[in-house]
């Protein structure tokens, strides 16, 4: 009898541990995985699902058919760094002094400069919130939120980091013929351990993501796959270039780089399918700002404008969302949304209550895309870069310039922003000016500023690619 009792007492902890493990696994599996894929400087029209006949994007086209395509998705900034800061915080980045200027960049001597520039440490990122929800978190690729160690991804809620700290770098490893002295260009695994990859970088980022998914398949995970593709330098894999014999110059190189981007996305999605995780994963694909047509030959048609300005071509981006269990398959959502909404959406799907987080400007998109809420997610959206700014209220959009009168467009009738209605609707101009100013005065002063000569270059780019 004594031996039997001892046997039972020995088994009880094992049984309890087993039961706890089963419940932990089941709970983990009920929390959807989150795969967020962000491309860099892609053109609005440069994907098959956006209507391109020149570029080949079969995997992203398939993703569009498996989920929701948003026709009016906006970023919170027309350049890379601020846009990403808005995504990670769920707030207009100007609220904490992160004006629409990259870090580090071509900044004036006033304010914070160089490696002192970064996403302020008093801002809590979505990666940190998801860690608290029990998620394993990873960032693969471009960071661009500050080069100093204190801004490092592994200190901002990411368990795993494989990428580079800066805003752009070569797609090939550095050697005697391909050099860079900047620390932020170096590939890094974890913290402070710089490594190079022999692979074309876009493929290498996909491979690292796949490995992370395999290693964490039994628990909820958040992947931020932050491509530098198709940002300059214009470097395509030779095998990909051969696929576009009818294109030339930058346009051919961009098509090949986009093909590699699509292939990398396909590898990650295929791995989710292979492991049986797709049904319990939300996948989002979007771009960080409009395409810079002058530097990488991207197309934003039918939208006017480019990266770095507030015309639609600078701030409206391709956006796909595939929900768990194939909900809302092959559908289109037409009301304006913002990449600021990703924070609240991800936090909610992870089991959190986004309404308990103060200061968010984004909203949870789930009730809107499922049809539970038929209202607009946003009646008003804002953009600001020093003197320049824009406001969209319902379908009216006002753009404020430093060197000319403001322009007014009705986007429901004129998404290409060809017909300026400012002189025929002065009352709407006045109302939107006042509304924009009320928002503007609620913001923090910029922590850093752009040199004025670069603002002049931005205006010249706008004029060249306006329509």
């Amino acid at each position: 009898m004594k031996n039997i009792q001892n046997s039972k007492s020995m088994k009880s902890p094992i049984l309890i541990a087993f039961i706890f493990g089963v419940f932990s696994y089941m709970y983990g599996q009920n929390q959807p995985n989150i795969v967020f894929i962000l491309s860099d400087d892609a053109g609005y029209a440069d994907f098959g699902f956006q209507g391109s006949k020149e570029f080949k994007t079969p995997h992203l086209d398939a993703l569009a058919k498996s989920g929701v395509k948003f026709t009016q998705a906006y970023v919170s900034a027309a350049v890379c760094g601020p846009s990403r800061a808005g995504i990670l915080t769920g707030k207009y980045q100007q609220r904490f002094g992160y004006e629409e200027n990259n870090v580090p960049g071509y900044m004036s001597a006033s304010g914070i400069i160089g490696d002192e520039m970064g996403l302020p440490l008093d801002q809590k990122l979505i990666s940190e919130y998801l860690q608290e929800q029990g998620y394993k978190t990873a960032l693969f690729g471009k960071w661009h939120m500050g080069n100093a160690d204190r801004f490092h991804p592994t200190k901002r809620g990411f368990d795993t980091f494989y990428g580079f700290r800066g805003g752009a770098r070569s797609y090939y490893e550095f050697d005697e013929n391909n050099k860079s002295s900047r620390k932020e260009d170096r590939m890094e695994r974890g913290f402070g351990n710089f490594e190079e990859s022999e692979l074309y970088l876009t493929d290498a980022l996909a491979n690292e993501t796949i490995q992370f998914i395999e290693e964490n398949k039994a628990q909820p995970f958040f992947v931020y796959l932050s491509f530098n593709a198709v940002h300059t330098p214009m470097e395509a894999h030779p095998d990909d270039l051969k696929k576009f014999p009818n294109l030339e110059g930058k346009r051919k190189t961009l098509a090949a780089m986009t093909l590699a981007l699509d292939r990398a996305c396909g590898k990650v999605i295929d791995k989710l399918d292979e492991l049986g995780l797709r049904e319990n994963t939300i996948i989002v694909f979007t771009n960080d700002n409009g395409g810079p047509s002058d530097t990488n030959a991207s197309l934003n048609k039918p939208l006017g404008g480019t990266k770095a300005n507030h015309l639609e071509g600078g701030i409206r981006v391709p956006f796909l969302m595939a929900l768990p269990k194939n909900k809302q398959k092959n559908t289109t959502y037409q009301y304006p949304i913002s990449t600021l909404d990703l924070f609240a959406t991800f936090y909610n799907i992870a089991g959190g209550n986004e309404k308990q987080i103060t200061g968010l400007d984004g909203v949870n998109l789930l009730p809107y895309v499922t049809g539970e809420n038929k209202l607009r997610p946003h009646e008003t959206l804002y953009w600001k870069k020093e003197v320049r700014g824009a406001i969209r209220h319902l379908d009216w959009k006002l753009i404020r310039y430093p060197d000319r009168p403001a322009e007014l467009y009705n986007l429901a009738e004129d998404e290409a922003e060809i017909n300026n209605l400012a002189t025929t609707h002065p009352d709407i101009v006045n109302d939107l000016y006042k509304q924009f100013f009320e928002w503007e005065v609620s913001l923090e002063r910029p922590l850093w500023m752009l040199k004025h000569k670069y603002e002049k270059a931005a205006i010249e780019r706008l004029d060249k690619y306006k329509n």
Side-chain angles (χ1 to χ4, degrees):
M1 187 72 174
K2 184 176 181 181
N3 290 338
I4 293 175
Q5 290 176 337
N6 286 343
S7 176
K8 287 182 178 179
S9 64
M10 290 174 62
K11 289 181 180 178
S12 295
I14 298 174
L15 181 61
I16 291 171
F18 173 76
I19 293 173
F20 178 78
V22 169
F23 275 100
S24 296
Y25 178 79
M26 290 174 62
Y27 176 71
Q29 290 300 93
N30 287 334
Q31 286 179 287
N33 305 305
I34 301 168
V35 175
F36 171 45
I37 305 173
L38 187 65
S39 59
D40 193 349
D41 278 10
Y44 184 76
D46 286 337
F47 299 92
F49 66 88
Q50 292 289 91
S52 178
K53 303 300 182 184
E54 292 182 320
F55 286 21
K56 301 174 182 178
T57 56
H59 297 100
L60 289 171
D61 297 347
L63 182 66
K65 292 179 180 179
S66 72
V68 185
K69 184 175 88 166
F70 294 75
T71 61
Q72 298 192 72
Y74 290 94
V75 289
S76 63
V79 293
C80 310
S83 172
R84 292 163 188 255
I87 291 170
L88 290 169
T89 61
K91 305 173 185 177
Y92 285 109
Q93 58 281 352
Q94 297 94 339
R95 291 200 185 282
F96 45 88
Y98 199 135
E99 194 77 12
E100 279 197 39
N101 296 311
N102 283 322
V103 298
Y106 308 110
M107 305 303 159
S108 67
S110 62
I112 302 170
I113 60 173
D115 282 355
E116 295 301 306
M117 297 160 54
L119 180 55
L121 299 180
D122 61 356
Q123 297 302 309
K124 189 173 179 180
L125 312 188
I126 183 59
S127 47
E128 297 173 278
Y129 279 100
L130 291 177
Q131 277 184 331
E132 293 174 355
Q133 292 296 112
Y135 278 67
K136 278 291 184 179
T137 59
L139 166 61
F140 299 103
K142 172 175 172 174
W143 177 230
H144 211 195
M145 294 292 100
N147 296 336
D149 288 351
R150 65 182 179 278
F151 299 123
H152 195 270
T154 58
K155 297 186 177 183
R156 307 302 298 270
F158 290 100
D159 299 309
T160 298
F161 172 58
Y162 176 80
F164 57 98
R165 302 188 193 192
R169 59 149 284 153
S170 174
Y171 290 78
Y172 293 98
E173 64 177 319
F174 294 123
D175 55 28
E176 289 301 312
N177 299 315
N178 187 27
K179 297 181 179 179
S180 175
S181 60
R182 300 191 309 173
K183 180 180 70 173
E184 62 267 28
D185 290 348
R186 295 282 176 174
M187 293 302 295
E188 188 172 356
R189 188 185 301 279
F191 180 77
N193 181 19
F194 294 99
E195 297 187 6
E196 309 297 348
S197 171
E198 296 179 0
L199 292 173
Y200 185 68
L201 182 55
T202 305
D203 291 319
L205 296 177
N207 291 346
E208 293 287 333
T209 301
I210 287 169
Q211 183 178 337
F212 174 84
I213 291 173
E214 287 179 332
E215 292 173 352
N216 294 278
K217 60 187 176 184
Q219 61 190 102
F221 56 77
F222 167 56
V223 168
Y224 174 22
L225 179 48
S226 176
F227 286 109
N228 58 315
V230 291
H231 196 292
T232 53
M234 301 296 290
E235 296 175 347
H237 194 284
D239 292 341
D240 293 330
L241 285 168
K242 296 175 184 177
K243 307 272 178 67
F244 300 93
N246 297 325
L247 296 178
E248 297 179 349
K250 286 184 179 181
R251 193 70 183 150
K252 179 173 184 171
T253 302
L254 182 66
M257 295 170 71
T258 304
L259 179 64
L261 168 69
D262 180 79
R263 178 176 61 245
C265 293
K267 287 180 180 179
V268 173
I269 296 169
D270 287 348
K271 177 57 63 174
L272 294 170
D273 285 330
E274 177 191 323
L275 297 175
L277 300 174
R278 181 74 177 276
E279 287 288 290
N280 195 40
T281 301
I282 180 174
I283 305 171
V284 172
F285 171 83
T286 189
N287 191 60
D288 62 354
N289 48 248
S293 304
D294 50 348
T295 60
N296 72 357
S298 52
L299 290 181
N300 297 314
K301 298 297 182 182
L303 310 177
T306 67
K307 174 182 180 177
N309 62 63
H310 295 136
L311 291 167
E312 292 291 284
I315 55 177
R316 195 193 292 196
V317 292
F319 193 108
L320 304 175
M321 178 184 290
L323 296 172
K325 300 179 181 179
N326 253 353
K327 292 181 179 179
Q328 309 307 118
K329 184 177 181 180
N330 199 21
T331 59
T332 300
Y333 190 83
Q334 297 184 340
Y335 278 142
I337 65 158
S338 170
T339 50
L340 298 176
D341 300 328
L342 290 171
F343 186 113
T345 304
F346 291 161
Y347 189 59
N348 181 277
I349 206 168
N353 183 353
E354 74 282 359
K355 295 179 180 178
Q356 295 179 349
I357 301 175
T358 59
L360 291 184
D361 291 303
V363 301
N364 172 23
L365 290 174
L366 298 178
Y368 296 96
V369 299
T370 60
E372 179 184 343
N373 189 333
K374 299 187 182 301
L375 300 176
R376 290 175 177 246
H378 301 276
E379 286 195 350
T380 311
L381 293 170
Y382 304 91
W383 297 267
K384 178 183 179 296
K385 186 172 186 177
E386 299 180 19
V387 176
R388 291 187 286 135
I391 175 175
R392 173 175 178 163
H393 180 69
L394 300 178
D395 291 326
W396 289 102
K397 180 180 173 187
L398 177 80
I399 307 177
R400 185 181 73 181
Y401 297 105
D403 65 336
R404 68 198 71 178
E407 295 174 351
L408 178 71
Y409 299 99
N410 185 332
L411 295 179
E413 302 172 355
D414 179 24
E415 67 176 4
E417 295 169 298
I418 295 173
N419 301 310
N420 179 11
L421 302 175
T423 57
T424 56
H425 293 284
D427 54 335
I428 296 177
V429 171
N430 290 339
D431 288 345
L432 292 182
Y433 246 120
K434 290 179 180 178
Q435 192 172 349
F436 183 84
F437 182 68
E438 288 177 2
W439 174 76
E440 188 175 33
V441 296
S442 73
L443 308 175
E444 291 289 336
R445 287 286 186 183
L447 295 172
W448 47 80
M449 303 286 283
L450 191 67
K451 288 184 179 179
H452 284 156
K453 67 177 181 178
Y454 296 107
E455 273 290 86
K456 183 175 184 295
I459 290 292
E460 290 171 349
R461 173 191 265 179
L462 179 147
D463 288 333
K464 184 176 180 180
Y465 292 96
K466 188 170 183 179
N467 300 118

